[in-house]
Amino acid sequence: MTEGAMTLGGGLRSAIEHAGYYPELVSETVETALAGEPTRSWLVHHEATFDRDELRRHVTILVLTETRLIVAHTDDHPADDTCPVPYATTSSEAVPLSRIGPVVVSRTLAEPAGHRAGAAARDVVLSVGWGAVARLDLEPATCGDPECEADHGYTGTATADDLSVRVSAEGDGAEAVLQAVDFARALSAATARSAR
């Protein structure tokens, strides 16, 4: 057993195997990115989408270590001009905790008046920014005068858009939603410590 396989841990490896999506390939990708560093928290998000009349699957693995956020993603592809058989692409990114900016957790709750602490939400969207990717939304600037035809340039907003993962009770199960919230809590705490 390699050092990387030992750092993957039984719980994370079991979650990857439970997702059932190329578990050996996905595990190897995560182990390579961990480079021997032990895991503190993790989230496995397997998602199926439809591309025209084909089912496409992909998995995103988020792993928190003492010093980094590991983001691993694997997609499958049908045979095409570049490869005569179905194939997969996999990538990983290791982000130092000191580089992570906003950690945004959006939850949707049914019947909020009856909500009790610890109950699962209908869905959770976890968005994390570290400055690698940003979205810029621009629109023409105006001066407020409806008769004015002068060029006032542009105005807009820049939004960090590095990673966004949505987990729903309906599609992924209530336990997966609670796991996503637990991971978000651990990531928020880790980034707060690294900012000190």
Side-chain angles (χ1 to χ4, degrees):
M1 180 180 285
T2 68
E3 182 179 359
M6 291 189 301
T7 61
L8 194 58
L12 176 53
R13 184 175 263 303
S14 292
I16 291 170
E17 289 173 358
H18 179 73
Y21 183 77
Y22 306 124
E24 289 301 316
L25 174 62
V26 171
S27 293
E28 181 182 38
T29 300
V30 173
E31 289 168 357
T32 300
L34 282 170
E37 193 173 8
T39 63
R40 296 186 61 187
S41 185
W42 46 266
L43 178 64
V44 175
H45 185 249
H46 178 234
E47 187 175 14
T49 56
F50 289 96
D51 183 11
R52 296 187 199 129
D53 59 347
E54 288 188 37
L55 175 66
R56 300 280 304 277
R57 301 183 312 153
H58 56 98
V59 67
T60 302
I61 313 289
L62 307 177
V63 180
L64 178 63
T65 73
E66 190 66 36
T67 62
R68 302 175 297 153
L69 170 66
I70 306 296
V71 180
H73 188 83
T74 304
D75 283 299
D76 60 9
H77 306 277
D80 59 24
D81 293 341
T82 65
C83 187
V85 296
Y87 62 99
T89 56
T90 186
S91 64
S92 64
E93 184 171 3
V95 183
L97 291 178
S98 60
R99 292 232 0 245
I100 294 179
V103 176
V104 181
V105 181
S106 301
R107 291 189 269 182
T108 303
L109 299 122
E111 300 184 33
H115 178 74
R116 299 290 176 253
R122 288 182 58 208
D123 68 43
V124 172
V125 178
L126 171 63
S127 300
V128 183
W130 56 88
V133 178
R135 184 179 68 243
L136 188 60
D137 296 319
L138 294 175
E139 61 184 44
T142 63
C143 65
D145 179 357
E147 302 295 321
C148 182
E149 295 182 13
D151 183 355
H152 295 285
Y154 288 88
T155 186
T157 58
T159 307
D161 201 20
D162 293 311
L163 173 72
S164 189
V165 175
R166 178 181 180 263
V167 181
S168 73
E170 187 175 309
D172 305 297
E175 187 62 35
V177 173
L178 292 172
Q179 175 72 29
V181 172
D182 286 346
F183 180 81
R185 184 179 295 114
L187 181 58
S188 292
T191 56
R193 283 191 303 272
S194 75
R196 292 181 195 150

